[in-house]
Coordinates of all heavy atoms in Angstrom, one line a residue:
A93 N 82.5 -8.0 -172.6 CA 81.9 -6.7 -172.6 C 80.4 -6.8 -172.6 O 79.7 -5.9 -172.0 CB 82.4 -5.9 -173.8
G94 N 79.8 -7.8 -173.3 CA 78.4 -7.9 -173.5 C 77.7 -8.3 -172.2 O 76.4 -8.2 -172.2
Q95 N 78.4 -8.8 -171.2 CA 77.8 -9.2 -169.9 C 76.7 -10.2 -170.2 O 76.8 -11.2 -170.9 CB 77.4 -8.0 -169.2 CG 78.6 -7.0 -168.9 CD 78.1 -5.6 -168.5 OE1 77.6 -5.4 -167.4 NE2 78.4 -4.6 -169.3
V96 N 75.5 -10.0 -169.6 CA 74.4 -10.9 -169.7 C 73.9 -11.0 -171.1 O 73.3 -12.1 -171.5 CB 73.3 -10.5 -168.7 CG1 72.6 -9.2 -169.2 CG2 72.3 -11.6 -168.5
F97 N 74.1 -10.1 -171.9 CA 73.6 -10.1 -173.3 C 74.5 -11.0 -174.2 O 74.0 -11.3 -175.4 CB 73.6 -8.7 -173.9 CG 72.6 -7.8 -173.1 CD1 73.1 -6.7 -172.3 CD2 71.3 -8.0 -173.2 CE1 72.3 -5.9 -171.6 CE2 70.4 -7.2 -172.4 CZ 70.9 -6.1 -171.7
M98 N 75.6 -11.4 -173.8 CA 76.5 -12.3 -174.6 C 76.8 -13.6 -173.8 O 77.7 -14.3 -174.1 CB 77.8 -11.6 -174.9 CG 77.7 -10.4 -175.9 SD 77.4 -11.0 -177.6 CE 79.1 -11.4 -178.1
N99 N 75.9 -13.9 -172.9 CA 76.1 -15.1 -172.1 C 75.3 -16.3 -172.6 O 74.4 -16.8 -172.0 CB 75.7 -14.8 -170.6 CG 76.1 -15.9 -169.6 OD1 77.1 -16.5 -169.9 ND2 75.3 -16.0 -168.6
F100 N 75.7 -16.6 -173.8 CA 75.0 -17.7 -174.5 C 75.9 -18.8 -174.9 O 77.1 -18.5 -175.3 CB 74.2 -17.2 -175.8 CG 73.1 -16.3 -175.4 CD1 73.3 -14.9 -175.4 CD2 71.8 -16.8 -175.1 CE1 72.2 -14.1 -175.0 CE2 70.8 -16.0 -174.8 CZ 70.9 -14.6 -174.8
Q101 N 75.4 -20.0 -175.0 CA 76.3 -21.2 -175.3 C 76.9 -21.1 -176.7 O 78.0 -21.6 -176.9 CB 75.5 -22.5 -175.1 CG 75.1 -22.8 -173.7 CD 74.4 -24.1 -173.5 OE1 74.9 -25.1 -173.8 NE2 73.1 -23.9 -173.1
W102 N 76.2 -20.5 -177.6 CA 76.7 -20.4 -179.0 C 77.8 -19.4 -179.1 O 78.7 -19.6 -179.9 CB 75.6 -20.1 -180.0 CG 74.5 -19.2 -179.5 CD1 74.5 -17.9 -179.5 CD2 73.3 -19.6 -178.9 NE1 73.4 -17.4 -178.9 CE2 72.6 -18.4 -178.5 CE3 72.8 -20.9 -178.6 CZ2 71.4 -18.5 -177.9 CZ3 71.5 -20.9 -177.9 CH2 70.8 -19.7 -177.6
D103 N 77.8 -18.4 -178.2 CA 79.0 -17.5 -178.2 C 80.2 -18.2 -177.7 O 81.3 -18.1 -178.2 CB 78.7 -16.3 -177.3 CG 77.6 -15.4 -177.8 OD1 77.6 -15.1 -179.0 OD2 76.7 -15.0 -177.0
F104 N 80.0 -19.1 -176.6 CA 81.1 -19.8 -176.1 C 81.6 -20.9 -177.1 O 82.8 -21.2 -177.3 CB 80.7 -20.5 -174.8 CG 80.2 -19.6 -173.8 CD1 79.3 -20.0 -172.8 CD2 80.5 -18.2 -173.8 CE1 78.7 -19.2 -171.9 CE2 79.9 -17.4 -172.8 CZ 79.1 -17.8 -171.9
M105 N 80.6 -21.5 -177.8 CA 80.9 -22.5 -178.8 C 81.8 -21.9 -180.0 O 82.7 -22.5 -180.5 CB 79.7 -23.1 -179.3 CG 79.8 -24.2 -180.3 SD 78.2 -24.8 -180.8 CE 78.6 -25.9 -182.2
L106 N 81.4 -20.7 -180.4 CA 82.2 -20.0 -181.4 C 83.6 -19.7 -181.0 O 84.6 -19.9 -181.7 CB 81.5 -18.7 -181.8 CG 82.2 -17.9 -182.9 CD1 82.4 -18.7 -184.2 CD2 81.4 -16.6 -183.2
L107 N 83.7 -19.4 -179.7 CA 85.1 -19.1 -179.2 C 85.9 -20.4 -179.1 O 87.1 -20.4 -179.5 CB 85.0 -18.5 -177.8 CG 84.6 -17.0 -177.7 CD1 84.4 -16.6 -176.3 CD2 85.7 -16.2 -178.4
E108 N 85.3 -21.5 -178.7 CA 86.0 -22.8 -178.6 C 86.4 -23.2 -180.0 O 87.6 -23.7 -180.2 CB 85.2 -23.8 -177.9 CG 86.0 -25.0 -177.5 CD 85.2 -26.0 -176.6 OE1 84.2 -25.6 -176.0 OE2 85.7 -27.1 -176.4
A109 N 85.5 -23.2 -180.9 CA 85.8 -23.5 -182.3 C 86.9 -22.6 -182.9 O 87.8 -23.0 -183.6 CB 84.6 -23.6 -183.2
G110 N 86.7 -21.3 -182.6 CA 87.7 -20.3 -183.1 C 89.1 -20.5 -182.5 O 90.0 -20.3 -183.3
F111 N 89.2 -20.9 -181.3 CA 90.5 -21.2 -180.7 C 91.1 -22.3 -181.4 O 92.3 -22.3 -181.8 CB 90.4 -21.4 -179.2 CG 91.7 -21.9 -178.6 CD1 92.7 -21.0 -178.4 CD2 91.8 -23.2 -178.2 CE1 93.9 -21.4 -177.8 CE2 93.0 -23.7 -177.7 CZ 94.1 -22.8 -177.5
L112 N 90.4 -23.4 -181.6 CA 91.0 -24.6 -182.2 C 91.3 -24.3 -183.7 O 92.3 -24.8 -184.2 CB 90.0 -25.8 -182.2 CG 89.7 -26.4 -180.8 CD1 88.6 -27.4 -180.9 CD2 91.0 -26.9 -180.2
A113 N 90.5 -23.4 -184.3 CA 90.8 -23.1 -185.7 C 92.1 -22.3 -185.9 O 92.7 -22.3 -187.0 CB 89.6 -22.2 -186.2
I114 N 92.6 -21.7 -184.8 CA 93.9 -21.0 -184.9 C 95.0 -22.0 -185.4 O 95.9 -21.6 -186.1 CB 94.3 -20.4 -183.6 CG1 93.3 -19.3 -183.2 CG2 95.7 -19.9 -183.6 CD1 93.5 -18.7 -181.8
F115 N 94.9 -23.3 -185.0 CA 95.9 -24.3 -185.3 C 95.6 -25.1 -186.6 O 96.4 -25.8 -187.1 CB 96.0 -25.3 -184.2 CG 96.3 -24.6 -182.9 CD1 95.3 -24.3 -182.0 CD2 97.6 -24.3 -182.5 CE1 95.5 -23.6 -180.8 CE2 97.9 -23.6 -181.3 CZ 96.8 -23.3 -180.4
L116 N 94.4 -24.9 -187.2 CA 94.0 -25.7 -188.4 C 94.8 -25.4 -189.6 O 95.1 -26.3 -190.4 CB 92.5 -25.4 -188.7 CG 91.5 -26.4 -188.1 CD1 90.1 -26.0 -188.6 CD2 91.8 -27.8 -188.4
P117 N 95.3 -24.1 -189.8 CA 96.1 -23.9 -191.1 C 97.4 -24.7 -191.1 O 98.0 -24.7 -192.2 CB 96.3 -22.4 -191.0 CG 95.2 -21.8 -190.2 CD 94.9 -22.9 -189.2
W118 N 97.8 -25.3 -190.0 CA 99.0 -26.1 -190.0 C 98.7 -27.5 -190.5 O 99.7 -28.3 -190.6 CB 99.6 -26.1 -188.6 CG 100.0 -24.7 -188.1 CD1 99.2 -23.9 -187.3 CD2 101.1 -23.9 -188.4 NE1 99.8 -22.7 -187.1 CE2 101.0 -22.7 -187.8 CE3 102.3 -24.2 -189.2 CZ2 102.0 -21.7 -187.9 CZ3 103.2 -23.2 -189.3 CH2 103.1 -21.9 -188.7
G119 N 97.5 -27.8 -190.6 CA 97.1 -29.1 -191.3 C 97.1 -30.3 -190.4 O 97.0 -31.4 -190.9
S120 N 97.3 -30.2 -189.1 CA 97.4 -31.4 -188.2 C 96.1 -32.1 -188.1 O 95.1 -31.4 -187.7 CB 97.9 -31.0 -186.8 OG 97.9 -32.1 -185.9
P121 N 96.0 -33.4 -188.3 CA 94.8 -34.1 -188.1 C 94.3 -34.2 -186.6 O 93.2 -34.5 -186.3 CB 95.1 -35.5 -188.6 CG 96.6 -35.6 -188.5 CD 97.1 -34.2 -188.8
V122 N 95.3 -33.9 -185.7 CA 94.9 -33.9 -184.3 C 93.9 -32.8 -184.0 O 93.0 -33.0 -183.3 CB 96.2 -33.7 -183.4 CG1 95.8 -33.7 -181.9 CG2 97.2 -34.8 -183.7
I123 N 94.1 -31.6 -184.6 CA 93.2 -30.5 -184.4 C 91.8 -30.8 -185.1 O 90.8 -30.5 -184.5 CB 93.8 -29.2 -185.0 CG1 95.1 -28.9 -184.4 CG2 92.8 -28.0 -184.8 CD1 95.1 -28.7 -182.9
V124 N 91.8 -31.5 -186.2 CA 90.6 -31.9 -186.8 C 89.8 -32.8 -185.9 O 88.6 -32.7 -185.7 CB 90.8 -32.6 -188.2 CG1 89.5 -33.1 -188.7 CG2 91.4 -31.6 -189.2
W125 N 90.5 -33.8 -185.2 CA 89.9 -34.6 -184.3 C 89.4 -33.9 -183.1 O 88.3 -34.2 -182.6 CB 90.9 -35.7 -183.8 CG 90.3 -36.7 -182.8 CD1 89.7 -37.9 -183.2 CD2 90.2 -36.6 -181.4 NE1 89.3 -38.5 -182.0 CE2 89.5 -37.7 -181.0 CE3 90.6 -35.6 -180.5 CZ2 89.2 -38.0 -179.6 CZ3 90.3 -35.8 -179.1 CH2 89.6 -37.0 -178.7
L126 N 90.0 -32.8 -182.6 CA 89.5 -32.0 -181.5 C 88.2 -31.3 -181.9 O 87.4 -31.1 -181.1 CB 90.6 -31.0 -181.1 CG 91.7 -31.5 -180.3 CD1 92.8 -30.4 -180.0 CD2 91.2 -32.0 -178.9
M127 N 88.1 -30.9 -183.2 CA 86.8 -30.4 -183.7 C 85.7 -31.4 -183.6 O 84.6 -31.1 -183.2 CB 87.0 -29.9 -185.1 CG 87.8 -28.6 -185.3 SD 87.0 -27.2 -184.6 CE 88.1 -25.9 -185.2
H128 N 86.1 -32.7 -183.9 CA 85.1 -33.8 -183.7 C 84.7 -33.9 -182.2 O 83.5 -34.1 -181.9 CB 85.7 -35.1 -184.2 CG 86.0 -35.2 -185.6 ND1 86.7 -36.2 -186.2 CD2 85.8 -34.3 -186.6 CE1 86.9 -36.0 -187.5 NE2 86.3 -34.8 -187.8
W129 N 85.7 -33.8 -181.3 CA 85.5 -33.8 -179.9 C 84.5 -32.7 -179.4 O 83.7 -32.9 -178.6 CB 86.8 -33.8 -179.2 CG 86.8 -33.8 -177.7 CD1 87.3 -32.8 -176.9 CD2 86.3 -34.8 -176.8 NE1 87.1 -33.1 -175.6 CE2 86.5 -34.3 -175.5 CE3 85.7 -36.0 -177.0 CZ2 86.1 -35.1 -174.4 CZ3 85.3 -36.7 -175.9 CH2 85.5 -36.3 -174.6
L130 N 84.7 -31.5 -180.0 CA 83.8 -30.4 -179.7 C 82.4 -30.7 -180.1 O 81.5 -30.5 -179.4 CB 84.3 -29.1 -180.4 CG 83.4 -27.9 -180.3 CD1 83.1 -27.5 -178.9 CD2 84.0 -26.7 -181.0
L131 N 82.2 -31.2 -181.3 CA 80.9 -31.5 -181.8 C 80.3 -32.6 -181.0 O 79.1 -32.5 -180.6 CB 81.0 -32.0 -183.3 CG 79.7 -32.4 -183.9 CD1 78.7 -31.3 -184.0 CD2 79.9 -33.0 -185.3
F132 N 81.1 -33.6 -180.6 CA 80.5 -34.7 -179.7 C 80.0 -34.1 -178.4 O 79.0 -34.4 -177.9 CB 81.7 -35.7 -179.5 CG 81.3 -36.7 -178.4 CD1 80.5 -37.8 -178.6 CD2 81.8 -36.5 -177.1 CE1 80.2 -38.7 -177.6 CE2 81.5 -37.3 -176.0 CZ 80.7 -38.4 -176.3
R133 N 80.8 -33.2 -177.8 CA 80.4 -32.7 -176.5 C 79.2 -31.8 -176.6 O 78.3 -31.8 -175.7 CB 81.6 -31.9 -175.9 CG 82.7 -32.8 -175.4 CD 83.8 -32.0 -174.6 NE 84.5 -31.1 -175.5 CZ 84.5 -29.8 -175.4 NH1 83.8 -29.2 -174.5 NH2 85.3 -29.1 -176.2
V134 N 79.1 -31.0 -177.6 CA 77.9 -30.1 -177.8 C 76.7 -31.0 -177.9 O 75.7 -30.7 -177.2 CB 78.1 -29.2 -179.0 CG1 76.8 -28.5 -179.4 CG2 79.2 -28.2 -178.8
R135 N 76.7 -32.0 -178.7 CA 75.5 -32.9 -178.9 C 75.3 -33.8 -177.7 O 74.2 -33.8 -177.2 CB 75.7 -33.7 -180.1 CG 76.0 -32.9 -181.4 CD 74.9 -32.0 -181.8 NE 73.7 -32.7 -182.2 CZ 72.5 -32.4 -182.0 NH1 72.2 -31.2 -181.4 NH2 71.5 -33.1 -182.4
F136 N 76.3 -34.5 -177.2 CA 76.1 -35.5 -176.2 C 75.8 -34.8 -174.8 O 74.9 -35.3 -174.1 CB 77.3 -36.4 -176.1 CG 77.1 -37.5 -175.1 CD1 76.2 -38.5 -175.4 CD2 77.9 -37.6 -174.0 CE1 76.0 -39.6 -174.5 CE2 77.7 -38.7 -173.1 CZ 76.8 -39.7 -173.4
Q137 N 76.5 -33.8 -174.5 CA 76.2 -33.1 -173.2 C 74.8 -32.6 -173.2 O 74.2 -32.6 -172.1 CB 77.2 -32.0 -173.0 CG 78.6 -32.4 -172.6 CD 79.5 -31.2 -172.3 OE1 80.0 -30.6 -173.2 NE2 79.7 -30.9 -171.1
S138 N 74.3 -32.1 -174.3 CA 72.9 -31.6 -174.4 C 71.9 -32.7 -174.1 O 70.9 -32.5 -173.4 CB 72.6 -31.0 -175.7 OG 73.4 -29.8 -175.9
G139 N 72.2 -33.9 -174.6 CA 71.3 -35.1 -174.4 C 71.4 -35.5 -172.9 O 70.4 -35.8 -172.3
V140 N 72.6 -35.6 -172.3 CA 72.8 -36.0 -170.9 C 72.1 -34.9 -170.0 O 71.4 -35.3 -169.0 CB 74.2 -36.1 -170.6 CG1 74.4 -36.3 -169.1 CG2 74.9 -37.2 -171.3

């Protein structure tokens, strides 16, 4: 809805983290690892 005013990487990052968080209450370490993968991509992709 926000169009160009919501077209920021942190908005997308919150959505990606928020989607993975849907599965966190089930306690699976796989989802925790996916959060690590998200952090890795945010940091490493910025450097590349």
Side-chain angles (χ1 to χ4, degrees):
Q95 303 164 68
V96 70
F97 298 109
M98 290 285 277
N99 190 29
F100 291 94
Q101 292 180 66
W102 34 88
D103 294 315
F104 307 154
M105 183 180 170
L106 178 56
L107 284 173
E108 191 168 346
F111 172 74
L112 294 177
I114 293 173
F115 305 95
L116 268 182
W118 301 96
S120 173
V122 180
I123 302 301
V124 175
W125 185 90
L126 283 175
M127 289 291 192
H128 297 174
W129 176 241
L130 171 58
L131 177 62
F132 168 81
R133 288 188 292 115
V134 170
R135 305 295 294 150
F136 186 65
Q137 284 183 284
S138 295
V140 172

